[in-house]
Amino acid sequence: EALLLQRLKANSFRQAAQESGMSPHSLRRLLLRCVGQKANLEEALKDMEAFVLSIDEHSYRGRDMMVTVTCVWPKQQLLAILPDDRIKTLERFLRQMPDSVRQRIRAVCIDLKDAWRHAVKRALPGVVIVADPFHVIQDANRRVDEARLVEQQVTGERLRRWPLLKNEDDLTDRQAAQLAAIRKHHKNVAHFH
């Protein structure tokens, strides 16, 4: 079991299952059984005067959502894996944290779900809530791509996707020229970009 958990720590369910010859579902059950035991948060966070939490969602084959609660500052440390993605489960976990732990939380980083924001506000009033930068960039890229698709339909011109979504420092010379042309001739897409 310890070896399997080490594989899960470094790999996806699918990859760990392939390496171990087990099914992803069996690995998920093992993980939930092992981490289902209540973590001693006071002990895990004893050396930290203040810390930032991250709450994130993970799925097993696009279903069976789980939520992880991780300390991300000053050092990264997984604190809990909640068995599902229900708001009540998350809120109950946050409310059941010892007061000595709750008082040291400086911020909570979450994705863009409004329900999570409300749950954190209810359970941890006064704590700063921060949007996960990955999800902000993901949302911005989705909006840029939607503007690109609308522009393509209106103008009948094909606009390349990657020059708009890729980090500008990583663009090839050709992609940089395509981006410059989009900015010059397609102001609406340029605005979103």
Side-chain angles (χ1 to χ4, degrees):
E1 287 183 352
L3 177 64
L4 293 172
L5 291 173
Q6 283 295 354
R7 284 188 175 153
L8 276 175
K9 189 175 182 180
N11 300 299
S12 68
F13 279 104
R14 187 177 68 206
Q15 189 173 3
Q18 286 173 345
E19 290 175 4
S20 66
M22 294 184 69
S23 73
H25 188 69
S26 296
L27 289 175
R28 182 179 188 277
R29 279 195 322 265
L30 168 67
L31 180 64
L32 287 175
R33 184 171 44 89
C34 290
V35 297
Q37 306 153 2
K38 276 218 167 184
N40 183 342
L41 297 179
E42 287 176 320
E43 180 66 25
L45 301 166
K46 69 181 178 191
D47 298 333
M48 298 178 222
E49 288 183 33
F51 50 88
V52 174
L53 297 180
S54 174
I55 299 171
D56 205 1
E57 171 174 73
H58 302 277
S59 69
Y60 162 73
R61 291 191 180 180
R63 316 177 307 248
D64 299 331
M65 300 299 283
M66 296 185 292
V67 172
T68 59
V69 180
T70 307
C71 177
V72 291
W73 178 87
K75 67 179 183 178
Q76 194 163 14
Q77 180 177 352
L78 178 65
L79 299 176
I81 298 177
L82 306 183
D84 57 58
D85 65 338
R86 293 184 185 107
I87 297 302
K88 287 181 180 181
T89 304
L90 173 61
E91 198 168 338
R92 181 175 37 250
F93 173 82
L94 295 174
R95 287 184 189 278
Q96 290 176 350
M97 288 179 157
D99 284 340
S100 62
V101 170
R102 293 163 50 107
Q103 292 168 357
R104 293 181 287 149
I105 300 171
R106 295 298 173 254
V108 177
C109 182
I110 61 172
D111 68 15
L112 302 177
K113 288 186 176 176
D114 227 18
W116 283 24
R117 185 172 53 83
H118 290 300
V120 172
K121 273 186 173 181
R122 285 189 302 268
L124 302 171
V127 169
V128 174
I129 300 171
V130 180
D132 182 337
F134 170 81
H135 292 284
V136 173
I137 296 298
Q138 185 181 44
D139 183 59
N141 284 341
R142 182 184 53 78
R143 292 169 191 260
V144 167
D145 199 42
E146 286 173 359
R148 178 188 68 86
L149 292 171
V150 168
E151 189 77 7
Q152 278 187 165
Q153 285 180 331
V154 170
T155 64
E157 292 180 49
R158 180 161 187 230
L159 302 178
R160 299 286 178 178
R161 181 173 185 244
W162 282 114
L164 292 165
L165 301 182
K166 200 172 172 184
N167 184 343
E168 287 190 47
D169 294 337
D170 298 331
L171 293 175
T172 64
D173 290 341
R174 183 177 183 193
Q175 291 169 334
Q178 291 168 340
L179 179 59
I182 290 170
R183 286 181 171 158
K184 182 177 180 181
H185 302 293
H186 304 280
K187 298 296 181 192
N188 191 41
V189 177
H191 170 77
F192 276 93
H193 184 259

